Amino acid sequence: MFSARATKTLMMPDSWCDIPCGRRFRQSLEAQLAPWWPKMFGFHLIKIGALSCEIDSSSCMIPHQVNVAPQGNTLQVFGEAAQLPFLDKSADVCVLAHNLGYSSDPHRLLREADRVLIEDGWLIISGFNPLSLLGARKLIPWRLNREPQCSRMFSQFRMLDWLSLLNYEIMYHRLTTPIPWCDPASFGNRHARIFGCLGVIVARKRTVPLTFTPQKLRLLRPKLNNVVGATRQQTPPRCLKRR
């Protein structure tokens, strides 16, 4: 397996407008998250990164929503995604919109988000899909320095594997917007989602193993010996036999 760590430093865009078709990507991401915001409760929601800060989460019931990024005009906290200035288990929801694609060490980024999340907290991740038209553009040399081809793209299977190692339960994952420059209701965007350019994952932090170990399975296995023995006809004692 290839290492996810990179030596090259990538700069995240300051806005979705800096990405071609960025407004469509943001609208598609908001449409996927709209049914999930009312299901999230708690006290603190953290949006990490400039792109996360622009996502509309007004339908979420969490009152205290904090924008965190190294720089910007609509921020409450200035900080790096890999070194969040928050206590352990202090956030109910963390939003990482394309942070992994612009991080030199995405594993460290996930561990940092896991550190600040409470038990059963929510983690929202989005990123560009390498098996899409945007991923195919990375094969063109003169496009490698343009957005979003300059960012790193991880497949959903790989990100789901990372979350499973951190013991997260995947609540929802989907690929959307296969053709970003076309209308979202077009035939290609509705029926070719397997090649979607945008990937969305909604996961929840769990504190118990999601798969039982062999020892626990052995304890949960029903004991049939006593049940079978109870139905067996017992021979009466010799003293009680009729003469």
Side-chain angles (χ1 to χ4, degrees), residues 13-24:
D14 296 330
S15 173
W16 288 94
C17 298
D18 298 334
I19 302 175
C21 303
R23 185 176 62 88
R24 290 187 181 273

Side-chain angles (χ1 to χ4, degrees), residues 26-116:
R26 180 176 59 82
Q27 292 175 350
S28 178
L29 179 58
E30 291 175 347
Q32 298 298 318
L33 296 178
W36 291 95
W37 291 125
K39 301 178 182 180
M40 302 178 185
F41 299 93
F43 299 97
H44 306 289
L45 183 150
I46 301 177
K47 299 179 182 179
I48 304 173
L51 301 182
S52 302
C53 297
E54 295 186 1
I55 297 176
D56 183 17
S57 58
S58 58
S59 59
C60 184
M61 302 300 294
I62 298 179
H64 189 212
Q65 302 184 11
V66 182
N67 296 337
V68 183
Q71 57 183 2
N73 299 324
T74 60
L75 303 179
Q76 287 80 36
V77 177
F78 292 92
E80 296 289 342
Q83 296 179 346
L84 296 174
F86 301 109
L87 297 176
D88 297 353
K89 301 181 180 180
S90 58
D92 300 275
V93 182
C94 280
V95 183
L96 297 173
H98 291 68
N99 295 71
L100 301 182
Y102 290 93
S103 174
S104 59
D105 193 353
H107 291 170
R108 179 182 177 184
L109 195 69
L110 287 176
R111 288 193 297 268
E112 184 67 7
D114 179 76
R115 179 185 67 82
V116 301

Side-chain angles (χ1 to χ4, degrees), residues 19 21 89 93 97 99 119 132 151 180 189 228 240-241 243:
I19 302 175
C21 303
K89 301 181 180 180
V93 182
N99 295 71
E119 312 298 350
S132 62
S151 67
N189 282 328
V228 175
L240 297 179
K241 289 183 178 180
R243 297 180 180 178

Side-chain angles (χ1 to χ4, degrees), residues 128-131 153-160 162 201:
F128 290 120
N129 180 26
L131 304 177
M153 299 182 184
F154 302 105
S155 65
Q156 270 206 336
F157 294 104
R158 193 172 184 184
M159 291 189 292
L160 292 176
W162 293 345
I201 299 176

Side-chain angles (χ1 to χ4, degrees), residues 121-134:
W122 296 81
L123 181 62
I124 299 174
I125 299 176
S126 68
F128 290 120
N129 180 26
L131 304 177
S132 62
L133 293 177
L134 292 181

